[in-house]
Amino acid sequence: MKILEVSWKNFNSYGNQIQRIDFENDKGDLFLLLGGNGHGKSTIAEVITFALYGKIERKNKNDLPNRINKNLWCRIVIKARGKKVEIERGVSPGLFEVKVDGAPYDTAGNANVQDYLELELFDIPYQVFKN
């Protein structure tokens, strides 16, 4: 799995403007987040975790939206198993949409979309990723 792009707004202390990190056009294989205490490095890691898995260890999902603006939103685009996967999530209102190669993921006959993502595409279970 390779992260191509991550976007978010109203996540923790980040405000109502969309923030975006584009990894696709950068040719690097390793990325470093650098900043002082309280500048949002951990929040960016939480955005990625929440976008992929829909949860964050030791935090209630309803505590994640910005206290003033609410309406947490995030989107992540990854390349996994030869497929381009877009995941969009939100809190207040609830949102969970998945596109695989540009088409909405068809949930007919599939018990759990999150299980499909973790078991068939990510190859990294949440318990391993969060560490």
Side-chain angles (χ1 to χ4, degrees):
M1 172 177 66
K2 178 177 179 173
I3 298 172
L4 303 178
E5 172 191 324
V6 63
S7 306
W8 71 94
K9 70 176 184 174
N10 295 325
F11 205 106
N12 288 338
S13 61
Y14 281 95
N16 204 25
Q17 291 188 339
I18 293 176
Q19 308 295 314
R20 183 172 178 267
I21 301 174
D22 181 358
F23 298 99
E24 189 169 20
N25 293 325
D26 196 319
K27 302 302 178 203
D29 290 327
L30 181 65
F31 296 90
L32 170 71
L33 289 175
L34 183 64
N37 290 343
H39 286 162
K41 301 177 303 294
S42 295
T43 296
I44 293 170
E46 289 177 349
V47 166
I48 292 169
T49 303
F50 182 75
L52 291 172
Y53 295 94
K55 57 188 172 185
I56 296 174
E57 193 74 10
R58 295 182 300 272
K59 286 199 175 182
N60 183 327
K61 185 165 52 171
N62 293 324
D63 294 335
L64 297 175
N66 179 287
R67 289 178 290 181
I68 297 168
N69 299 316
K70 310 286 185 224
N71 299 325
L72 173 149
W73 171 86
C74 60
R75 176 178 176 267
I76 193 164
V77 180
I78 64 169
K79 191 80 165 177
R81 300 226 175 182
K83 300 173 193 259
K84 186 175 183 179
V85 181
E86 300 172 50
I87 304 166
E88 196 171 348
R89 293 190 194 261
V91 175
S92 297
L95 170 67
F96 180 39
E97 294 179 0
V98 176
K99 291 182 182 174
V100 178
D101 290 330
Y105 178 69
D106 184 7
T107 58
N110 296 305
N112 187 317
V113 176
Q114 188 63 44
D115 284 347
Y116 166 73
L117 291 172
E118 289 183 41
L119 300 173
E120 302 292 327
L121 295 177
F122 297 169
D123 286 330
I124 305 173
Y126 174 73
Q127 293 300 99
V128 174
F129 186 86
K130 70 179 180 116
N131 290 323

